[in-house]
Amino acid sequence: QVHLEESGGGLVEPGGSLRVSCAASGFTFSSYVMTWWRQTPGKERELVATISSGGGGRIYADSVKGRFTISRDNAKNIMYLQMNSLKVEDTAVYYCKAGGPTMAGYWGQGIQVTVSS
């Protein structure tokens, strides 16, 4: 069955860096646009970044542009989100999704990223 699992989250200080990963299985990973989302309690899930199926096209939310980099390794069925210059406002549960922003795709369970001093 389809499975997406995030890893690499944790606690970091403001200004620090973290890379979260999304390991995918059970579907043809390389054929899917992939997305990263984040959510804080009481807030709607926010689209953070989108990457095309081949990895050549990338779109970022304004709030993370210049600091975050989305990438993927289709040979390994893994998507990444490199987060640099982290801010307290980046604190959220981060989710990976197989499918574009408007697609009812497959979701991971999410992983906590906390930015705090």
Side-chain angles (χ1 to χ4, degrees):
Q1 66 273 14
V2 170
H3 185 70
L4 298 169
E5 184 156 354
E6 301 90 343
S7 62
L11 175 65
V12 295
E13 294 187 351
S17 296
L18 200 65
R19 187 176 74 165
V20 291
S21 302
C22 174
S25 62
F27 66 102
T28 306
F29 179 78
S30 61
S31 72
Y32 277 75
V33 172
M34 296 289 294
T35 47
W36 281 104
W37 303 69
R38 65 187 182 186
Q39 188 169 28
T40 55
K43 299 291 185 180
E44 186 176 357
R45 195 165 293 186
E46 174 191 16
L47 177 63
V48 175
T50 303
I51 187 167
S52 62
S53 60
R58 305 174 184 184
I59 303 173
Y60 300 93
D62 288 343
S63 58
V64 307
K65 195 172 298 181
R67 300 187 297 118
F68 289 13
T69 302
I70 188 172
S71 62
R72 66 193 295 164
D73 186 339
N74 283 347
K76 295 182 177 181
N77 288 0
I78 301 176
M79 177 177 65
Y80 305 96
L81 186 67
Q82 178 67 46
M83 300 179 286
N84 298 328
S85 301
L86 281 161
K87 303 175 180 179
V88 172
E89 305 94 272
D90 296 318
T91 296
V93 175
Y94 283 72
Y95 297 87
C96 68
K97 177 190 175 184
T102 63
M103 180 182 293
Y106 308 119
W107 291 89
Q109 66 183 30
I111 191 161
Q112 180 70 44
V113 172
T114 302
V115 185
S116 177
S117 59

